[in-house]
Amino acid sequence: MNDSKIRVRFAPSPTGPLHIGGVRTALYNYLFARKNKGKFILRIEDTDQTRFVPGAEEYIIEALDWCGIRFDEGVREGGDYGPYKQSERKAMYRKYAEQLVASGYAYYAFDTAEELADMRKKSEAVKKTFIYNADMRHQLKNSLTLPGEKTKKLLETKTPYVIRFKIPQERSIKINDLVRGEIKVRSQVLDDKVLFKSDGMPTYHLANVVDDHFMKISHVIRGEEWLPSLPLHVLLYEAFGWDKPQFAHLPLLLKPDGKGKLSKRDGDRLGFPVFPLQWIDPKTGEKTSGYREEGYFPEAFINMLALLGWNPGDEREIFSLDEMTQVFSLERVGKSGSRFDPEKAKWFNHQYMLKKNNRELAQMFMPLLKNHGIIADTEYVEKVVSLVKERAHFVHELWDQADFFFKAPESYDPKAVKKRWKQFSYDQITALKTLLAGIDDFSPENTEAAVKKWLEENGYGMGAVLNAFRLLIVGTLKGPHLFDIIALIGQEETLRRLETGLHELGRKE
RNA sequence: GGUCCGUUCGUCUAGCCAGGUCAGGACGCCAGGUUUUCAUCCUGGUAACACGGGUUCAAAUCCCGUACGGACUACCA
């Protein structure tokens, strides 16, 4: 196995549904792996037992499946570097935490959470920041301050403890980030982070570094919220004597209404989904909408998301996953956070609507027709879809655009009637009906030619007649080319609708 | 408060690293055209380099400062 191979991971914690920012992080990792012929790994970071949410892990996998983002290794796929769930790797974290203590890079701390919270509060009261660091650790209860005997005894008597990293004094840490360039931090502003919790589980920092090392991760591509802990991670790699991976911190997805990063809690508040799939909270039963259920095509969703923070450098905007893979690079990821634009998301979906073939759209449309009590054959639906898809953003909008292909109008739009049903309309449509009844070939070309010839011969206004005609066929003034419509619904149905319309609207005095 | 990161049209962004084109594109919006209608489509328009200083013949681009925004500051990830 070649160590220089590209291996990246997406490492969510199963504390709820994945939001679109998380999906984008997964997507960029996926694209980077594919582009560089590397491996993409899913690791579940479930070290916080208190925040575990049932169904979250399944949700994450299902969401990425829907997006077409595939893993090479992971909880489901397996692989040579498993297990891929941190709760199943528990033993090794303790081992490496102890190793750090033994080598002097970490220490046992016996302060309780309450004691520390209290000290923070007191510091705050005098406008000071409490930092568990080189300045403070000698005043606190830990294996650095306590005599060896005492520490030993506390450990033997099972006194709760954590293992903290001993941040070195006076070090300038320089790290190159693939997105943001060089980042400099002085070690004295860092605090002695907990690596290993009193419940026997590691914190994110330890688990992350240990796993990335043993899973041979070459590039850590994650959200910008991790940037502040990057120095700690770098120090950890050094303490272990391990080569560190390259880092890339992605800009955040921001709330469109102003402040802060997008979060799971935004739910439906924003007027657009923040989740790829619908989520039903297992505790409250509360339902939050998802892009899938809203009618977005996964290709459109992914495409839209990819362009939020990345661009190909040319003016293309519509990309399949494969096409994105060809041109993706971390260099072209932006530095600043982006706001999501619901309008543009709709536009993307519309673009994919137009790209989809009619058969596929018909298959998606049929179940909706069924909900309206309509069973139609595929071929007919395909023809309908081909005529109306350009005027819909979503499959579910198709019904509003195409209902008249499946049933005669039940009423006539009053506004349209007022505008287009004139004194002369009754006689004109009556005559038109006779004309249409006499046509054998009801193809659009043929009926159109015949009607236009008739209009010309009688000196009738095209707009006047055709709009009244449309009104009786459709029920309102909308829809595709009229002669395409009547060809599809057929001569018999056309004549029937004219008859009904003449009867309903009557002769206007 | 502290640390780190960021800032080009309303939004997503190109251009910045290797200073020198009326700052380009897309969404939206507006107007016009096409169409029997609606939509599509086509044409045009709208609108931005956060601010101040410095370097330079020349700065959106390099440097410094300010402002604003964001992330982090848990035995959460």
Side-chain angles (χ1 to χ4, degrees):
Chain A
M1 187 57 67
N2 185 351
D3 279 358
S4 67
K5 265 201 141 177
I6 301 292
R7 291 173 59 82
V8 298
R9 83 298 191 280
F10 179 57
S13 59
T15 55
L18 200 58
H19 74 61
I20 54 181
V23 176
R24 194 195 58 172
T25 301
L27 175 63
Y28 285 6
N29 271 283
Y30 170 86
L31 293 173
F32 183 78
R34 284 284 158 284
K35 166 80 183 192
N36 295 292
K37 308 216 179 326
K39 298 284 186 223
F40 182 39
I41 294 132
L42 175 66
R43 184 172 71 219
I44 298 293
E45 308 219 327
D46 55 347
T47 53
D48 186 352
Q49 300 155 329
T50 61
R51 290 209 306 159
F52 175 80
V53 172
E57 183 182 326
E58 292 74 13
Y59 177 98
I60 291 164
I61 291 170
E62 191 187 348
L64 295 173
D65 263 349
W66 177 68
C67 294
I69 297 172
R70 308 271 178 258
F71 293 97
D72 300 299
E73 297 170 26
V75 284
R76 184 176 54 181
E77 292 75 12
D80 297 337
Y81 300 89
Y84 292 92
K85 197 184 285 197
Q86 289 186 330
S87 56
E88 294 167 16
R89 303 168 68 83
K90 209 173 156 180
M92 66 188 300
Y93 303 124
R94 180 185 293 274
K95 179 181 160 202
Y96 285 97
E98 301 280 2
Q99 180 187 309
L100 248 25
V101 176
S103 55
Y105 286 104
Y107 57 91
Y108 299 106
F110 301 96
D111 321 272
T112 66
E114 292 74 31
E115 284 166 1
L116 292 174
D118 205 45
M119 279 185 260
R120 276 196 195 92
K121 229 174 165 182
K122 278 179 184 155
S123 292
E124 215 173 292
V126 287
K127 298 240 186 260
K128 275 192 171 174
T129 315
F130 174 85
I131 310 178
Y132 206 125
N133 67 0
D135 296 332
M136 283 300 293
R137 62 180 166 239
H138 295 292
Q139 304 171 34
L140 295 158
K141 249 194 292 176
N142 53 52
S143 58
L144 264 21
T145 56
L146 269 19
E149 286 295 303
K150 176 94 174 165
T151 298
K152 211 174 160 195
K153 195 158 198 179
L154 283 170
L155 290 175
E156 274 165 7
T157 55
K158 300 248 158 69
T159 310
Y161 68 91
V162 300
I163 295 176
R164 283 182 184 272
F165 189 65
K166 192 171 151 194
I167 294 285
Q169 226 161 347
E170 299 288 329
R171 278 253 340 247
S172 178
I173 303 148
K174 284 185 194 169
I175 316 139
N176 186 53
D177 183 278
L178 263 16
V179 171
R180 335 193 78 86
E182 192 175 86
I183 289 153
K184 281 180 262 183
V185 190
R186 293 170 312 140
S187 66
Q188 48 267 57
V189 302
L190 270 25
D191 60 344
D192 290 354
K193 278 270 178 284
V194 172
L195 300 178
F196 196 80
K197 301 184 272 188
S198 58
D199 66 358
M201 288 295 249
T203 60
Y204 171 85
H205 307 291
L206 206 225
N208 200 257
V209 165
V210 168
D211 286 348
D212 283 345
H213 173 71
F214 287 104
M215 291 183 181
K216 293 194 159 59
I217 299 302
S218 64
H219 293 72
V220 171
I221 304 168
R222 77 234 292 194
E224 193 189 316
E225 68 267 29
W226 292 111
L227 205 49
S229 49
L230 179 56
L232 168 69
H233 299 168
V234 168
L235 256 17
L236 272 168
Y237 281 103
E238 288 179 8
F240 281 121
W242 295 338
D243 287 339
K244 53 182 178 293
Q246 302 229 60
F247 293 94
H249 288 86
L250 271 16
L252 265 16
L253 250 36
L254 275 15
K255 294 181 204 290
D257 62 345
K259 307 213 172 287
K261 67 169 177 174
L262 202 59
S263 80
K264 291 174 189 175
R265 292 178 177 266
D266 286 318
D268 279 342
R269 184 183 67 80
L270 267 15
F272 63 86
V274 302
F275 299 140
L277 273 36
Q278 173 182 284
W279 168 255
I280 296 168
D281 189 286
K283 269 197 188 126
T284 64
E286 193 188 348
K287 197 191 275 187
T288 315
S289 65
Y291 282 85
R292 182 177 65 184
E293 290 74 16
E294 292 280 305
Y296 282 85
F297 300 118
E299 306 93 304
F301 174 66
I302 284 302
N303 194 154
M304 173 272 297
L305 222 42
L307 271 310
L308 240 40
W310 171 83
N311 73 81
D314 56 39
E315 278 164 7
R316 281 180 299 167
E317 292 198 285
I318 303 298
F319 291 94
S320 69
L321 207 46
D322 283 343
E323 287 163 342
M324 270 186 254
T325 299
Q326 298 306 312
V327 291
F328 184 80
S329 82
L330 286 173
E331 283 161 36
R332 296 213 60 88
V333 172
K335 289 180 169 67
S336 47
S338 27
R339 262 170 258 278
F340 171 74
D341 180 3
E343 286 305 319
K344 188 128 189 191
K346 281 184 193 163
W347 176 80
F348 271 109
N349 214 60
H350 184 234
Q351 296 304 307
Y352 278 85
M353 189 90 167
L354 298 177
K355 277 180 76 163
K356 293 257 181 213
N357 69 53
N358 299 326
R359 172 166 294 266
E360 211 176 336
L361 287 174
Q363 294 302 333
M364 291 186 258
F365 188 30
M366 303 272 270
L368 278 86
L369 283 173
K370 209 174 166 190
N371 291 343
H372 283 95
I374 284 151
I375 309 290
D377 72 76
T378 315
E379 212 175 307
Y380 184 77
V381 178
E382 275 180 45
K383 283 181 185 160
V384 170
V385 161
S386 76
L387 292 179
V388 299
K389 67 176 176 184
E390 67 191 19
R391 58 198 72 216
H393 288 85
F394 300 98
V395 170
H396 61 73
E397 287 176 355
L398 252 22
W399 171 253
D400 275 346
Q401 298 298 334
D403 55 347
F404 52 86
F405 281 105
F406 302 99
K407 60 179 182 58
E410 282 151 11
S411 64
Y412 302 96
D413 176 20
K415 263 191 196 161
V417 171
K418 192 169 180 228
K419 195 173 170 196
R420 293 302 188 181
W421 194 254
K422 303 291 188 190
Q423 287 88 337
F424 47 77
S425 298
Y426 188 89
D427 290 335
Q428 285 178 345
I429 296 297
T430 306
L432 175 68
K433 185 171 161 253
T434 310
L435 174 78
L436 290 172
I439 294 177
D440 291 329
D441 175 4
F442 220 63
S443 69
E445 299 76 23
N446 208 38
T447 51
E448 181 167 3
V451 170
K452 284 192 170 162
K453 185 164 168 258
W454 169 80
L455 285 170
E456 213 171 298
E457 283 168 1
N458 289 282
Y460 292 153
M462 183 131 122
V465 176
L466 289 183
N467 278 304
F469 185 13
R470 174 178 295 277
L471 176 61
L472 300 196
I473 298 298
V474 173
T476 185
L477 301 176
K478 68 168 186 188
H481 196 58
L482 189 49
F483 297 98
D484 285 334
I485 301 177
I486 61 168
L488 258 188
I489 63 175
Q491 187 169 26
E492 199 184 323
E493 175 67 13
T494 302
L495 296 175
R496 193 180 306 131
R497 290 189 189 183
L498 291 183
E499 179 62 41
T500 310
L502 285 166
H503 178 255
E504 289 290 325
L505 295 177
R507 187 190 300 274
K508 190 174 176 187
E509 299 306 331

